[in-house]
Amino acid sequence: MSQGAPGGLAISPENALGFIPIWCHYSTDPDKWPENPDPAKAEAAQKWLELQRKAYPDPNDFAREFEISWWVGKGTRVFPQFTEQTHVAPLQYRRGRVLYRGWDFGFHAPVDLIAQIDSKDRLLVLREVIGSQTTTSDFAQRVIKECAQAWPQNSAGYEDFCDPAGQQIKSVESEKSERRDVEILNGLSIFPKYEWGWSRKDGRSLIHQLLQVRTDGSPGLLVDPAGCPILVQAFLGRYVYPETKDGKVHEDPDDKTHPYADVMAALRYLVTGLHQKLNLRRPVQSRVPATPPTPYTGYGLPVRSTRER
């Protein structure tokens, strides 16, 4: 096929499966290239493109089917207010300010997000560290090494956060596994904090608050595109509410889309732990009594008495 527009046809090197991927954009056809040097063809192409957009009223569907966007998943974006123009910008490490880390455990795609809070109380997400099929110990040591290399003079230190208790209903074995993850971090002098009584929906509500543009014209959350490419992709369309069989939308996001769901989980834990410093309002429905009626472990499971053991 001939190439009509620059970049309309792309051939990539052989991938890990032994295939040579080929991307063919609609602009490869000169008659469908809105920037064609021929004014008549450009006008006809623009009309054709507008007609296609009408057939795909959902911009995510159009971006996926026509613009070859790998950043867009099938479903409804969880954070549609996030835009590259508003929330993505190159960020600089600020000396003398604490580095905050949000941890999401898991063998398949463990994640650590590293951020700071600036003088305007904005959360600046500087870097993401994402593992693949690795143990908590190996991943944590990798995070420690990368932090030491990136910020060797970080005199203000680190504060770490992990899954707040109650984020999800866990089995006893799952709870034990995550407790072991925290113990592994403790053995490496990392002591993550967490708080009882938060739900996933609560965490997402805090992120929604951060994404709002404030009276000074800036949002409460900025992400560095070079340091956090997967987080940016997750925001722009890879983290979604999946569609149901009857065409509706699930109430909960698809948390099986690794590593996009994992970076979002790490962000929830980070924002949950920092919500007071970021001046965020905790949802009223999630507030729990100052003294819970039942003693709980660090991950939301009731502590059993010695008689029950």
Side-chain angles (χ1 to χ4, degrees):
M1 179 180 293
S2 63
Q3 183 170 340
L9 181 65
I11 301 176
S12 298
E14 184 176 299
N15 62 21
L17 297 177
F19 296 99
I20 298 177
I22 298 177
W23 288 268
C24 184
H25 193 258
Y26 61 79
S27 60
T28 303
D29 184 347
D31 294 330
K32 294 182 173 63
W33 183 23
E35 299 179 18
N36 195 303
D38 185 328
K41 288 187 177 182
E43 182 180 358
Q46 187 62 44
K47 290 181 179 180
W48 171 85
L49 188 59
E50 291 174 0
L51 184 62
Q52 305 313 308
R53 288 185 185 277
K54 291 180 181 179
Y56 289 84
D58 186 334
N60 286 346
D61 287 343
F62 183 85
R64 182 174 55 252
E65 299 298 334
F66 278 79
E67 302 297 347
I68 320 178
S69 176
W70 299 104
W71 293 11
V72 179
K74 183 65 175 177
T76 301
R77 287 177 60 187
V78 177
F79 302 104
Q81 66 270 55
F82 182 95
T83 67
E84 290 184 86
Q85 294 78 11
T86 303
H87 301 95
V88 178
L91 302 175
Q92 297 293 327
Y93 163 72
R94 286 160 169 74
R95 289 181 177 273
R97 290 185 176 272
V98 175
L99 283 167
Y100 300 102
R101 298 184 294 202
W103 297 79
D104 180 58
F105 305 122
F107 177 75
H108 293 291
V111 171
D112 184 74
L113 291 183
I114 307 163
Q116 287 185 308
I117 298 176
D118 68 4
S119 59
K120 296 182 178 180
D121 294 332
R122 298 180 300 184
L123 183 66
L124 312 180
V125 188
L126 305 174
R127 178 174 297 196
E128 64 189 26
V129 183
I130 302 175
S132 176
Q133 297 186 347
T134 184
T135 64
T136 299
S137 177
D138 288 344
F139 178 68
Q141 292 180 63
R142 175 188 164 189
V143 171
I144 292 172
K145 181 178 179 180
E146 291 196 18
C147 287
Q149 291 175 342
W151 306 289
Q153 305 299 324
N154 177 36
S155 58
Y158 297 87
E159 287 189 27
D160 298 271
F161 303 91
C162 64
D163 183 5
Q167 284 277 5
Q168 58 185 341
I169 297 175
K170 296 181 170 69
S171 66
V172 173
E173 288 304 315
S174 177
E175 191 270 343
K176 289 180 179 178
S177 175
E178 260 188 90
R179 188 190 305 143
R180 286 195 296 268
D181 290 329
V182 174
E183 291 172 353
I184 289 171
L185 293 189
N186 292 166
L188 296 169
S189 298
I190 299 173
F191 301 94
K193 304 173 184 177
Y194 43 85
E195 183 179 349
W196 177 82
W198 288 82
S199 69
R200 295 180 180 182
K201 186 175 181 180
D202 295 335
R204 293 196 300 270
S205 74
L206 296 181
I207 297 175
H208 280 295
Q209 291 179 47
L210 276 181
L211 294 176
Q212 294 176 4
V213 176
R214 307 180 304 183
T215 55
D216 64 358
S218 69
L221 172 71
L222 288 172
V223 181
D224 187 286
C228 308
I230 299 300
L231 181 60
V232 171
Q233 292 176 28
F235 266 123
L236 290 176
R238 298 301 289 180
Y239 188 57
V240 299
Y241 294 107
E243 294 181 355
T244 61
K245 293 181 179 180
D246 58 1
K248 297 181 180 179
V249 177
H250 278 284
E251 293 183 358
D252 296 313
D254 185 356
D255 285 327
K256 296 180 181 179
T257 54
H258 305 294
Y260 305 106
D262 306 280
V263 294
M264 282 299 182
L267 182 62
R268 285 201 313 271
Y269 307 155
L270 188 62
V271 172
T272 300
L274 295 171
H275 76 281
Q276 292 182 328
K277 293 182 179 180
L278 294 169
N279 298 314
L280 301 176
R281 302 180 304 278
R282 181 172 184 176
V284 175
Q285 65 271 19
S286 74
R287 293 176 184 168
V288 296
T291 304
T294 306
Y296 281 80
T297 67
Y299 290 95
L301 293 178
V303 175
R304 293 179 295 172
S305 67
T306 54
R307 295 180 180 178
E308 296 176 313
R309 295 175 183 172

